[in-house]
Amino acid sequence: MSTRPTRRGFAARPADPEHWIKAAEMKPSSHGAFTARLTIDVTPDLRGRIKIAAFGRGQTVADMLRDLLAREFPPTSGDAL
């Protein structure tokens, strides 16, 4: 009988934590800007309406929400872009 190969767990620690941390440092996104993930809780109904609106506009939900947030919260003088 052969032995099963050892499998790494989903949350296994990286072999070189310093390299792993540096690899996750900020990188420009495909939009050419540095990004951060924003998580919000919405009802399933609202999520569905947002997805349908984005599809109807030919956009992704992320792009549509980025545009919405940029309109609602424009940079003020002195803000870094």
Side-chain angles (χ1 to χ4, degrees):
M1 214 186 219
S2 63
T3 60
R4 292 177 87 178
T6 305
R7 293 169 59 179
R8 281 183 74 174
F10 173 75
R13 292 177 185 229
D16 181 11
E18 289 300 317
H19 176 70
W20 181 69
I21 291 168
K22 288 178 183 173
E25 288 179 359
M26 294 174 54
K27 298 177 188 172
S29 72
S30 60
H31 301 285
F34 292 101
T35 62
R37 185 167 301 267
L38 174 66
T39 303
I40 61 170
D41 294 325
V42 295
T43 63
D45 182 55
L46 178 56
R47 180 175 178 263
R49 292 194 319 262
I50 292 168
K51 289 176 76 171
I52 290 169
F55 181 77
R57 297 174 187 182
Q59 292 183 295
T60 64
V61 170
D63 286 339
M64 186 181 75
L65 292 176
R66 277 187 207 102
D67 292 343
L68 171 73
L69 292 170
R71 277 193 317 271
E72 289 296 317
F73 303 100
T76 58
S77 61
D79 284 351
L81 294 175

